[in-house]
Amino acid sequence: MPVVDETNAPYVRMMYKMRSEGASSPQIAKALNAQGVITPSDYTYQRLGKPNPYISNHLWNAAMVRDILQNPVYIGSVVSQKQTTVSYKNHKKYIKDSEDWIVFENAFEPIVDKELWDKVQEVNKSCSHGKVTKSGVILPLGGLMYCADCGAKLKNNTTFHTSKKRGDYKVVSYICNTYANHGKTVCSSHSILQRVIEGLVLEDIRARAKRVIEDEDGERKRYLAIKASERKQQSDDESRLLKQAESRLAELDTIISKTYEERMLGKLPEDLSAKMLEKYTAEQKELSEQADKLYKAREDVKQDSEDVEMFIQRLKKWSDVECLTRELCLDLIEFIVVYARPEEYGAPRNIDIYYKFISKPLADSRNLLLPQNSVEIHQQ
């Protein structure tokens, strides 16, 4: 059974705390190196009383940090069945998806608590992994914004200027990554100043938090109605499909039983009954898998009230915020869609903010407009 090493445990907790506040894996690795913290590989060989034959620079890197931030052992869980082979002929091993692992929780004393662990896993799943700028920081909204026209992410763009009145100064903005890489023939810049977008987001968060504090029950009902509206059509379709699947599965049970019976009584030739059974069992398996997914979707509907409650509690947590921070943005924002500037001067510009627990997360964060994301873009 693993025993907590109190000499190195504080560094593990530091890593989790930094990540929960929005620090990237490279930033955490840099902090560990600055403090002279021994790497996991060096630590293992040090305990064995042997020199480390694999690492020459003895420095932390982002991959080492990510491994620790995803390892359930730090919340006292034992994990098995993480690896498998390609086939019984090909013995090359690969890591299985985490949902296929067998996890034994609370097997021993944890180093980090479950709340901090969950927060870090949430940050890890964000559409923004936290790209560090040349000045060594992660901007609050970095990696969270998408272009409404091409679906690409908006990237940080810093320009330097000189004027008699202001002297040397810099302007920080965000522009469409497609435009930055391929020019205006492919997409427009969608340029927006950092101070402008951060001001708009902060204003929206403050307004929502204010409404929650003034009328929490009313806001709870409003958010539940939003969730219900989004799910209604999907829920109706899923209920219809589930009913059809259940009806057909009942029919198949009867048909398969009757086919076996007729086969045993010699009323059906062996080869014909085998083909029929193969066809019916394949359909039965496919429908059973479909029904399982629909049952799970029905359970997701019950999650709505818990999601709304969590969103309200987080809004209250940040009700007194004075400026955007990386932690705040990762706590509240799923993603943001930025539309092009209107041709008419002074016309309002559309910015859509999608919040965690209220909006559905992106299935694939590489591009907003991928079909699997199903994001409705408003036409201007």
Side-chain angles (χ1 to χ4, degrees):
M1 179 181 294
V3 177
V4 175
D5 180 352
E6 289 301 339
T7 302
N8 292 304
Y11 296 116
V12 173
R13 296 187 189 106
M14 180 190 83
M15 294 164 68
Y16 273 81
K17 180 134 190 334
M18 288 182 68
R19 184 61 174 150
S20 73
E21 294 171 351
S24 67
S25 296
Q27 282 181 315
I28 296 171
K30 187 176 181 180
L32 292 167
N33 289 328
Q35 295 184 42
V37 180
I38 188 171
T39 64
S41 182
D42 281 341
Y43 175 74
T44 299
Y45 280 93
Q46 186 182 80
R47 293 187 64 187
L48 295 173
K50 299 178 181 180
N52 186 347
Y54 298 109
I55 297 180
S56 58
N57 61 18
H58 308 286
L59 295 174
W60 286 82
N61 58 44
M64 295 177 189
V65 172
R66 284 193 294 269
D67 284 345
I68 289 177
L69 294 178
Q70 296 170 357
N71 193 338
V73 73
Y74 296 105
I75 51 167
S77 297
V78 173
V79 181
S80 65
Q81 305 290 326
K82 287 178 67 174
Q83 292 185 334
T84 187
T85 55
V86 175
S87 69
Y88 74 94
K89 290 183 178 180
N90 186 342
H91 298 289
K92 183 178 179 180
K93 293 183 178 181
Y94 68 92
I95 303 294
K96 295 195 290 187
D97 292 337
S98 57
E99 57 265 25
D100 295 327
W101 298 353
I102 297 176
V103 180
F104 301 94
E105 297 181 349
N106 304 315
F108 48 86
E109 182 185 356
I111 292 178
V112 297
D113 61 56
K114 186 67 164 53
E115 183 179 355
L116 181 57
W117 162 268
D118 289 341
K119 179 70 180 296
V120 168
Q121 304 320 305
E122 182 185 322
V123 171
N124 288 341
K125 291 177 182 176
S126 170
C127 68
S128 171
H129 296 156
K131 187 173 182 180
V132 181
T133 66
K134 290 181 180 179
S135 57
V137 300
I138 301 175
L139 298 179
L141 293 172
L144 292 170
M145 293 182 287
Y146 291 86
C147 169
D149 291 319
C150 72
K153 284 194 175 186
L154 267 60
K155 62 177 288 186
N156 162 245
N157 182 55
T158 303
T159 55
F160 297 90
H161 308 268
T162 302
S163 71
K164 290 181 179 180
K165 186 176 181 180
R166 298 178 60 182
D168 294 336
Y169 66 97
K170 68 177 181 180
V171 174
V172 181
S173 61
Y174 292 94
I175 62 172
C176 170
N177 201 38
T178 301
Y179 170 85
N181 291 329
H182 305 287
K184 62 183 179 181
T185 58
V186 180
C187 195
S188 63
S189 71
H190 290 70
S191 176
I192 190 164
L193 292 172
Q194 178 193 10
R195 60 178 175 81
V196 171
I197 185 63
E198 289 186 6
L200 291 170
V201 172
L202 183 59
E203 181 183 356
D204 193 69
I205 290 171
R206 282 175 173 167
R208 289 173 183 270
K210 184 173 183 291
R211 290 197 299 268
V212 162
I213 291 171
E214 292 176 349
D215 183 15
E216 184 171 330
D217 287 341
E219 286 299 287
R220 182 178 289 106
K221 290 176 182 177
R222 188 171 73 86
Y223 285 123
L224 283 170
I226 291 172
K227 298 277 280 186
S229 176
E230 290 178 350
R231 284 194 186 275
K232 186 177 186 311
Q233 184 59 48
Q234 176 185 345
S235 180
D236 290 345
D237 291 342
E238 287 170 350
S239 295
R240 177 177 51 79
L241 290 172
L242 181 57
K243 188 175 181 180
Q244 291 174 355
E246 289 173 335
S247 176
R248 180 57 180 166
L249 282 168
E251 289 178 3
L252 287 170
D253 282 340
T254 303
I255 292 170
I256 290 172
S257 296
K258 189 174 181 180
T259 303
Y260 271 117
E261 183 180 342
E262 291 184 346
R263 177 178 178 177
M264 295 297 293
L265 294 173
K267 294 181 179 180
L268 272 177
E270 188 79 17
D271 57 343
L272 178 59
S273 63
K275 288 180 181 179
M276 291 172 66
L277 287 169
E278 183 180 2
K279 174 187 173 184
Y280 292 139
T281 53
E283 184 184 358
Q284 186 181 51
K285 181 182 177 183
E286 184 180 341
L287 280 172
S288 295
E289 291 174 353
Q290 181 184 343
D292 287 342
K293 290 179 181 178
L294 293 169
Y295 283 128
K296 185 179 182 302
R298 181 174 285 182
E299 289 298 316
D300 289 343
V301 175
K302 299 176 183 178
Q303 184 70 33
D304 283 356
S305 60
E306 293 180 23
D307 288 346
V308 168
E309 195 61 40
M310 180 63 76
F311 181 60
I312 286 175
Q313 295 310 313
R314 289 197 181 183
L315 277 176
K316 291 164 72 175
K317 169 186 170 183
W318 295 106
S319 60
D320 296 328
V321 65
E322 295 183 358
C323 64
L324 284 189
T325 64
R326 183 66 178 170
E327 183 182 5
L328 181 159
C329 292
L330 291 177
D331 222 22
L332 285 176
I333 297 171
E334 199 67 67
F335 60 94
I336 297 172
V337 180
V338 177
Y339 294 78
R341 262 182 220 281
E343 294 183 5
E344 182 183 347
Y345 180 77
R349 185 172 184 181
N350 287 347
I351 306 289
D352 290 341
I353 305 172
Y354 293 78
Y355 285 98
K356 285 188 173 179
F357 303 106
I358 302 301
S359 304
K360 192 167 74 170
L362 299 176
D364 191 327
S365 63
R366 291 175 301 169
N367 189 288
L368 178 72
L369 301 182
L370 290 172
Q372 55 267 41
N373 287 330
S374 303
V375 177
E376 182 179 344
I377 300 298
H378 307 121
Q379 298 297 321
Q380 297 195 84

